[in-house]
mmCIF file of all heavy atoms in Angstrom:
data_model
loop_
_atom_site.group_PDB
_atom_site.id
_atom_site.type_symbol
_atom_site.label_atom_id
_atom_site.label_comp_id
_atom_site.label_asym_id
_atom_site.label_seq_id
_atom_site.Cartn_x
_atom_site.Cartn_y
_atom_site.Cartn_z
ATOM 1 N N PRO A 1 0.830 -1.210 0.000
ATOM 2 C CA PRO A 1 0.000 0.000 0.000
ATOM 3 C C PRO A 1 0.863 1.258 0.000
ATOM 4 O O PRO A 1 1.975 1.260 0.532
ATOM 5 C CB PRO A 1 -0.778 -0.121 1.325
ATOM 6 C CG PRO A 1 0.166 -0.853 2.229
ATOM 7 C CD PRO A 1 0.937 -1.806 1.338
ATOM 8 N N LEU A 2 0.371 2.312 -0.609
ATOM 9 C CA LEU A 2 1.004 3.625 -0.581
ATOM 10 C C LEU A 2 0.163 4.550 0.278
ATOM 11 O O LEU A 2 -1.064 4.547 0.173
ATOM 12 C CB LEU A 2 1.107 4.210 -1.988
ATOM 13 C CG LEU A 2 1.952 3.466 -3.026
ATOM 14 C CD1 LEU A 2 1.927 4.236 -4.337
ATOM 15 C CD2 LEU A 2 3.355 3.275 -2.538
ATOM 16 N N THR A 3 0.817 5.343 1.107
ATOM 17 C CA THR A 3 0.132 6.353 1.909
ATOM 18 C C THR A 3 0.490 7.728 1.365
ATOM 19 O O THR A 3 1.666 8.095 1.315
ATOM 20 C CB THR A 3 0.527 6.253 3.388
ATOM 21 O OG1 THR A 3 0.075 5.007 3.921
ATOM 22 C CG2 THR A 3 -0.105 7.382 4.198
ATOM 23 N N PHE A 4 -0.521 8.469 0.937
ATOM 24 C CA PHE A 4 -0.341 9.819 0.413
ATOM 25 C C PHE A 4 -0.829 10.824 1.454
ATOM 26 O O PHE A 4 -1.977 10.752 1.896
ATOM 27 C CB PHE A 4 -1.143 10.005 -0.870
ATOM 28 C CG PHE A 4 -0.731 9.098 -1.988
ATOM 29 C CD1 PHE A 4 -1.303 7.845 -2.132
ATOM 30 C CD2 PHE A 4 0.234 9.500 -2.905
ATOM 31 C CE1 PHE A 4 -0.930 6.996 -3.162
ATOM 32 C CE2 PHE A 4 0.613 8.658 -3.947
ATOM 33 C CZ PHE A 4 0.037 7.407 -4.069
ATOM 34 N N ILE A 5 0.050 11.732 1.841
ATOM 35 C CA ILE A 5 -0.311 12.771 2.813
ATOM 36 C C ILE A 5 -0.169 14.125 2.130
ATOM 37 O O ILE A 5 0.874 14.438 1.544
ATOM 38 C CB ILE A 5 0.587 12.709 4.056
ATOM 39 C CG1 ILE A 5 0.565 11.300 4.660
ATOM 40 C CG2 ILE A 5 0.136 13.745 5.086
ATOM 41 C CD1 ILE A 5 1.544 11.112 5.805
ATOM 42 N N LEU A 6 -1.225 14.913 2.201
ATOM 43 C CA LEU A 6 -1.257 16.202 1.505
ATOM 44 C C LEU A 6 -1.517 17.317 2.503
ATOM 45 O O LEU A 6 -2.417 17.224 3.340
ATOM 46 C CB LEU A 6 -2.353 16.190 0.438
ATOM 47 C CG LEU A 6 -2.521 17.438 -0.428
ATOM 48 C CD1 LEU A 6 -1.295 17.632 -1.326
ATOM 49 C CD2 LEU A 6 -3.781 17.323 -1.288
ATOM 50 N N TRP A 7 -0.693 18.366 2.422
ATOM 51 C CA TRP A 7 -0.918 19.577 3.199
ATOM 52 C C TRP A 7 -1.285 20.695 2.228
ATOM 53 O O TRP A 7 -0.586 20.928 1.229
ATOM 54 C CB TRP A 7 0.345 19.968 3.963
ATOM 55 C CG TRP A 7 0.672 19.033 5.082
ATOM 56 C CD1 TRP A 7 0.235 19.106 6.372
ATOM 57 C CD2 TRP A 7 1.513 17.868 5.012
ATOM 58 N NE1 TRP A 7 0.743 18.055 7.106
ATOM 59 C CE2 TRP A 7 1.522 17.282 6.300
ATOM 60 C CE3 TRP A 7 2.235 17.259 3.982
ATOM 61 C CZ2 TRP A 7 2.256 16.121 6.585
ATOM 62 C CZ3 TRP A 7 2.949 16.119 4.264
ATOM 63 C CH2 TRP A 7 2.963 15.561 5.542
ATOM 64 N N THR A 8 -2.374 21.361 2.485
ATOM 65 C CA THR A 8 -2.819 22.425 1.597
ATOM 66 C C THR A 8 -2.058 23.715 1.889
ATOM 67 O O THR A 8 -1.330 23.815 2.880
ATOM 68 C CB THR A 8 -4.324 22.669 1.762
ATOM 69 O OG1 THR A 8 -4.612 22.911 3.151
ATOM 70 C CG2 THR A 8 -5.115 21.440 1.314
ATOM 71 N N ALA A 9 -2.210 24.691 1.016
ATOM 72 C CA ALA A 9 -1.511 25.969 1.174
ATOM 73 C C ALA A 9 -1.898 26.629 2.487
ATOM 74 O O ALA A 9 -3.062 26.619 2.898
ATOM 75 C CB ALA A 9 -1.849 26.891 0.005
ATOM 76 N N THR A 10 -0.899 27.186 3.177
ATOM 77 C CA THR A 10 -1.131 27.849 4.457
ATOM 78 C C THR A 10 -0.443 29.207 4.462
ATOM 79 O O THR A 10 0.405 29.508 3.619
ATOM 80 C CB THR A 10 -0.588 27.012 5.623
ATOM 81 O OG1 THR A 10 0.823 26.793 5.428
ATOM 82 C CG2 THR A 10 -1.300 25.683 5.716
ATOM 83 N N THR A 11 -0.801 30.037 5.442
ATOM 84 C CA THR A 11 -0.203 31.356 5.589
ATOM 85 C C THR A 11 0.477 31.451 6.935
ATOM 86 O O THR A 11 -0.113 31.146 7.968
ATOM 87 C CB THR A 11 -1.277 32.464 5.488
ATOM 88 O OG1 THR A 11 -1.929 32.355 4.222
ATOM 89 C CG2 THR A 11 -0.646 33.840 5.627
ATOM 90 N N GLU A 12 1.749 31.842 6.940
ATOM 91 C CA GLU A 12 2.473 32.022 8.189
ATOM 92 C C GLU A 12 2.080 33.355 8.816
ATOM 93 O O GLU A 12 2.008 34.383 8.151
ATOM 94 C CB GLU A 12 3.981 31.994 7.942
ATOM 95 C CG GLU A 12 4.508 30.605 7.627
ATOM 96 C CD GLU A 12 6.019 30.582 7.598
ATOM 97 O OE1 GLU A 12 6.613 31.654 7.334
ATOM 98 O OE2 GLU A 12 6.595 29.502 7.843
ATOM 99 N N ASP A 13 1.846 33.342 10.113
ATOM 100 C CA ASP A 13 1.399 34.545 10.813
ATOM 101 C C ASP A 13 2.473 35.627 10.841
ATOM 102 O O ASP A 13 2.184 36.818 10.754
ATOM 103 C CB ASP A 13 0.988 34.198 12.248
ATOM 104 C CG ASP A 13 -0.235 33.302 12.292
ATOM 105 O OD1 ASP A 13 -1.027 33.360 11.341
ATOM 106 O OD2 ASP A 13 -0.395 32.546 13.263
ATOM 107 N N GLU A 14 3.748 35.222 10.962
ATOM 108 C CA GLU A 14 4.815 36.186 11.173
ATOM 109 C C GLU A 14 5.013 37.123 9.986
ATOM 110 O O GLU A 14 5.139 38.331 10.137
ATOM 111 C CB GLU A 14 6.122 35.464 11.482
ATOM 112 C CG GLU A 14 6.077 34.711 12.814
ATOM 113 C CD GLU A 14 7.406 34.037 13.108
ATOM 114 O OE1 GLU A 14 8.322 34.171 12.272
ATOM 115 O OE2 GLU A 14 7.525 33.407 14.172
ATOM 116 N N ASN A 15 5.037 36.593 8.798
ATOM 117 C CA ASN A 15 5.318 37.440 7.639
ATOM 118 C C ASN A 15 4.229 37.406 6.574
ATOM 119 O O ASN A 15 4.365 38.006 5.525
ATOM 120 C CB ASN A 15 6.657 37.042 7.006
ATOM 121 C CG ASN A 15 6.730 35.560 6.716
ATOM 122 O OD1 ASN A 15 5.703 34.899 6.572
ATOM 123 N ND2 ASN A 15 7.943 35.033 6.642
ATOM 124 N N ASP A 16 3.168 36.694 6.886
ATOM 125 C CA ASP A 16 1.997 36.634 6.016
ATOM 126 C C ASP A 16 2.336 36.074 4.626
ATOM 127 O O ASP A 16 1.693 36.410 3.642
ATOM 128 C CB ASP A 16 1.365 38.020 5.878
ATOM 129 C CG ASP A 16 -0.086 37.942 5.391
ATOM 130 O OD1 ASP A 16 -0.783 36.960 5.758
ATOM 131 O OD2 ASP A 16 -0.515 38.842 4.669
ATOM 132 N N GLU A 17 3.386 35.230 4.586
ATOM 133 C CA GLU A 17 3.730 34.599 3.319
ATOM 134 C C GLU A 17 2.973 33.286 3.175
ATOM 135 O O GLU A 17 2.920 32.490 4.092
ATOM 136 C CB GLU A 17 5.240 34.336 3.242
ATOM 137 C CG GLU A 17 6.069 35.590 3.080
ATOM 138 C CD GLU A 17 7.536 35.273 2.873
ATOM 139 O OE1 GLU A 17 7.877 34.072 2.823
ATOM 140 O OE2 GLU A 17 8.323 36.221 2.762
ATOM 141 N N ARG A 18 2.417 33.091 2.015
ATOM 142 C CA ARG A 18 1.631 31.903 1.763
ATOM 143 C C ARG A 18 2.543 30.741 1.365
ATOM 144 O O ARG A 18 3.302 30.841 0.403
ATOM 145 C CB ARG A 18 0.599 32.165 0.662
ATOM 146 C CG ARG A 18 -0.428 31.037 0.512
ATOM 147 C CD ARG A 18 -1.558 31.481 -0.393
ATOM 148 N NE ARG A 18 -2.540 30.434 -0.599
ATOM 149 C CZ ARG A 18 -3.512 30.143 0.254
ATOM 150 N NH1 ARG A 18 -3.602 30.811 1.395
ATOM 151 N NH2 ARG A 18 -4.389 29.190 -0.018
ATOM 152 N N LEU A 19 2.475 29.650 2.127
ATOM 153 C CA LEU A 19 3.267 28.465 1.833
ATOM 154 C C LEU A 19 2.511 27.585 0.850
ATOM 155 O O LEU A 19 1.309 27.382 0.980
ATOM 156 C CB LEU A 19 3.557 27.685 3.117
ATOM 157 C CG LEU A 19 4.340 28.437 4.200
ATOM 158 C CD1 LEU A 19 4.495 27.564 5.433
ATOM 159 C CD2 LEU A 19 5.709 28.854 3.666
ATOM 160 N N PRO A 20 3.194 27.067 -0.145
ATOM 161 C CA PRO A 20 2.517 26.255 -1.166
ATOM 162 C C PRO A 20 2.106 24.895 -0.615
ATOM 163 O O PRO A 20 2.582 24.460 0.441
ATOM 164 C CB PRO A 20 3.587 26.109 -2.246
ATOM 165 C CG PRO A 20 4.879 26.185 -1.483
ATOM 166 C CD PRO A 20 4.637 27.190 -0.393
ATOM 167 N N PRO A 21 1.225 24.188 -1.323
ATOM 168 C CA PRO A 21 0.847 22.838 -0.909
ATOM 169 C C PRO A 21 2.082 21.930 -0.923
ATOM 170 O O PRO A 21 3.034 22.169 -1.670
ATOM 171 C CB PRO A 21 -0.167 22.401 -1.964
ATOM 172 C CG PRO A 21 -0.623 23.654 -2.624
ATOM 173 C CD PRO A 21 0.523 24.598 -2.550
ATOM 174 N N SER A 22 2.038 20.890 -0.111
ATOM 175 C CA SER A 22 3.140 19.924 -0.078
ATOM 176 C C SER A 22 2.571 18.539 0.165
ATOM 177 O O SER A 22 1.409 18.383 0.563
ATOM 178 C CB SER A 22 4.152 20.282 1.008
ATOM 179 O OG SER A 22 3.536 20.285 2.295
ATOM 180 N N ALA A 23 3.392 17.548 -0.092
ATOM 181 C CA ALA A 23 2.914 16.172 0.057
ATOM 182 C C ALA A 23 4.046 15.260 0.492
ATOM 183 O O ALA A 23 5.233 15.602 0.403
ATOM 184 C CB ALA A 23 2.319 15.667 -1.263
ATOM 185 N N LYS A 24 3.663 14.083 0.962
ATOM 186 C CA LYS A 24 4.614 13.036 1.299
ATOM 187 C C LYS A 24 3.993 11.716 0.868
ATOM 188 O O LYS A 24 2.790 11.510 0.988
ATOM 189 C CB LYS A 24 4.910 13.034 2.797
ATOM 190 C CG LYS A 24 5.900 11.967 3.239
ATOM 191 C CD LYS A 24 6.262 12.124 4.714
ATOM 192 C CE LYS A 24 7.211 13.285 4.911
ATOM 193 N NZ LYS A 24 7.765 13.305 6.288
ATOM 194 N N VAL A 25 4.830 10.818 0.368
ATOM 195 C CA VAL A 25 4.373 9.487 -0.020
ATOM 196 C C VAL A 25 5.177 8.462 0.775
ATOM 197 O O VAL A 25 6.406 8.438 0.712
ATOM 198 C CB VAL A 25 4.555 9.240 -1.535
ATOM 199 C CG1 VAL A 25 4.057 7.846 -1.905
ATOM 200 C CG2 VAL A 25 3.809 10.296 -2.346
ATOM 201 N N LEU A 26 4.467 7.642 1.542
ATOM 202 C CA LEU A 26 5.103 6.664 2.420
ATOM 203 C C LEU A 26 4.680 5.250 2.047
ATOM 204 O O LEU A 26 3.672 5.051 1.366
ATOM 205 C CB LEU A 26 4.732 6.945 3.878
ATOM 206 C CG LEU A 26 5.133 8.320 4.430
ATOM 207 C CD1 LEU A 26 4.570 8.514 5.831
ATOM 208 C CD2 LEU A 26 6.646 8.489 4.433
ATOM 209 N N PHE A 27 5.438 4.285 2.539
ATOM 210 C CA PHE A 27 5.205 2.882 2.222
ATOM 211 C C PHE A 27 5.059 2.066 3.498
ATOM 212 O O PHE A 27 5.623 2.409 4.538
ATOM 213 C CB PHE A 27 6.386 2.309 1.431
ATOM 214 C CG PHE A 27 6.706 3.064 0.188
ATOM 215 C CD1 PHE A 27 7.530 4.184 0.231
ATOM 216 C CD2 PHE A 27 6.181 2.667 -1.028
ATOM 217 C CE1 PHE A 27 7.825 4.887 -0.923
ATOM 218 C CE2 PHE A 27 6.474 3.375 -2.187
ATOM 219 C CZ PHE A 27 7.291 4.483 -2.135
ATOM 220 N N ASP A 28 4.325 0.977 3.395
ATOM 221 C CA ASP A 28 4.364 0.007 4.467
ATOM 222 C C ASP A 28 5.710 -0.712 4.378
ATOM 223 O O ASP A 28 6.198 -1.017 3.293
ATOM 224 C CB ASP A 28 3.224 -1.002 4.336
ATOM 225 C CG ASP A 28 3.114 -1.897 5.554
ATOM 226 O OD1 ASP A 28 2.503 -1.469 6.553
ATOM 227 O OD2 ASP A 28 3.651 -3.021 5.508
ATOM 228 N N GLU A 29 6.302 -0.968 5.524
ATOM 229 C CA GLU A 29 7.631 -1.582 5.558
ATOM 230 C C GLU A 29 7.672 -2.930 4.834
ATOM 231 O O GLU A 29 8.717 -3.363 4.348
ATOM 232 C CB GLU A 29 8.058 -1.761 7.017
ATOM 233 C CG GLU A 29 9.499 -2.154 7.213
ATOM 234 C CD GLU A 29 9.859 -2.280 8.679
ATOM 235 O OE1 GLU A 29 9.018 -2.798 9.452
ATOM 236 O OE2 GLU A 29 10.968 -1.871 9.051
ATOM 237 N N SER A 30 6.518 -3.583 4.726
ATOM 238 C CA SER A 30 6.454 -4.907 4.105
ATOM 239 C C SER A 30 6.741 -4.885 2.608
ATOM 240 O O SER A 30 7.053 -5.922 2.020
ATOM 241 C CB SER A 30 5.070 -5.523 4.335
ATOM 242 O OG SER A 30 4.068 -4.739 3.697
ATOM 243 N N ALA A 31 6.648 -3.718 1.966
ATOM 244 C CA ALA A 31 6.816 -3.645 0.507
ATOM 245 C C ALA A 31 8.142 -4.228 0.050
ATOM 246 O O ALA A 31 8.242 -4.830 -1.029
ATOM 247 C CB ALA A 31 6.678 -2.201 0.038
ATOM 248 N N GLY A 32 9.179 -4.057 0.869
ATOM 249 C CA GLY A 32 10.495 -4.553 0.509
ATOM 250 C C GLY A 32 10.591 -6.066 0.428
ATOM 251 O O GLY A 32 11.571 -6.598 -0.115
ATOM 252 N N LYS A 33 9.605 -6.768 0.924
ATOM 253 C CA LYS A 33 9.606 -8.231 0.835
ATOM 254 C C LYS A 33 9.217 -8.710 -0.556
ATOM 255 O O LYS A 33 9.515 -9.846 -0.930
ATOM 256 C CB LYS A 33 8.615 -8.824 1.850
ATOM 257 C CG LYS A 33 8.960 -8.593 3.301
ATOM 258 C CD LYS A 33 7.913 -9.243 4.193
ATOM 259 C CE LYS A 33 8.224 -9.026 5.655
ATOM 260 N NZ LYS A 33 7.179 -9.657 6.518
ATOM 261 N N PHE A 34 8.534 -7.861 -1.301
ATOM 262 C CA PHE A 34 7.944 -8.288 -2.566
ATOM 263 C C PHE A 34 8.624 -7.716 -3.802
ATOM 264 O O PHE A 34 8.642 -8.347 -4.856
ATOM 265 C CB PHE A 34 6.457 -7.928 -2.582
ATOM 266 C CG PHE A 34 5.722 -8.348 -1.343
ATOM 267 C CD1 PHE A 34 5.195 -7.415 -0.471
ATOM 268 C CD2 PHE A 34 5.584 -9.690 -1.034
ATOM 269 C CE1 PHE A 34 4.534 -7.807 0.680
ATOM 270 C CE2 PHE A 34 4.913 -10.096 0.114
ATOM 271 C CZ PHE A 34 4.391 -9.152 0.982
ATOM 272 N N LEU A 35 9.151 -6.488 -3.682
ATOM 273 C CA LEU A 35 9.787 -5.838 -4.828
ATOM 274 C C LEU A 35 11.053 -5.132 -4.369
ATOM 275 O O LEU A 35 11.147 -4.705 -3.203
ATOM 276 C CB LEU A 35 8.839 -4.819 -5.464
ATOM 277 C CG LEU A 35 7.550 -5.343 -6.109
ATOM 278 C CD1 LEU A 35 6.676 -4.170 -6.548
ATOM 279 C CD2 LEU A 35 7.838 -6.270 -7.290
ATOM 280 N N ASN A 36 12.017 -4.975 -5.272
ATOM 281 C CA ASN A 36 13.187 -4.181 -4.928
ATOM 282 C C ASN A 36 12.848 -2.698 -5.040
ATOM 283 O O ASN A 36 11.762 -2.328 -5.510
ATOM 284 C CB ASN A 36 14.393 -4.563 -5.798
ATOM 285 C CG ASN A 36 14.159 -4.307 -7.286
ATOM 286 O OD1 ASN A 36 13.493 -3.349 -7.677
ATOM 287 N ND2 ASN A 36 14.708 -5.169 -8.135
ATOM 288 N N VAL A 37 13.757 -1.853 -4.628
ATOM 289 C CA VAL A 37 13.439 -0.427 -4.528
ATOM 290 C C VAL A 37 13.163 0.196 -5.895
ATOM 291 O O VAL A 37 12.329 1.108 -6.019
ATOM 292 C CB VAL A 37 14.567 0.328 -3.793
ATOM 293 C CG1 VAL A 37 15.833 0.388 -4.639
ATOM 294 C CG2 VAL A 37 14.117 1.724 -3.398
ATOM 295 N N GLU A 38 13.839 -0.296 -6.949
ATOM 296 C CA GLU A 38 13.575 0.232 -8.291
ATOM 297 C C GLU A 38 12.144 -0.069 -8.709
ATOM 298 O O GLU A 38 11.450 0.785 -9.272
ATOM 299 C CB GLU A 38 14.549 -0.378 -9.293
ATOM 300 C CG GLU A 38 14.351 0.128 -10.717
ATOM 301 C CD GLU A 38 15.329 -0.468 -11.700
ATOM 302 O OE1 GLU A 38 16.121 -1.348 -11.295
ATOM 303 O OE2 GLU A 38 15.303 -0.063 -12.874
#
């Protein structure tokens, strides 16, 4: 399984700069039993 985590655009209070969206993609540790990293 793949886990997709998404953070939407936010604004920092200190300088009022808008931070762009960001994401992370994680894996269950078991994936390495079935396929190599490539």
Side-chain angles (χ1 to χ4, degrees):
L2 298 181
T3 295
F4 298 89
I5 306 174
L6 182 67
W7 290 271
T8 54
T10 58
T11 301
E12 287 189 334
D13 294 334
E14 294 182 0
N15 52 23
D16 199 34
E17 289 186 2
R18 190 169 178 81
L19 300 177
S22 60
K24 180 174 285 190
V25 180
L26 300 174
F27 304 85
D28 189 82
E29 190 179 40
S30 63
K33 295 181 180 179
F34 311 114
L35 295 174
N36 62 35
V37 69
E38 180 179 4

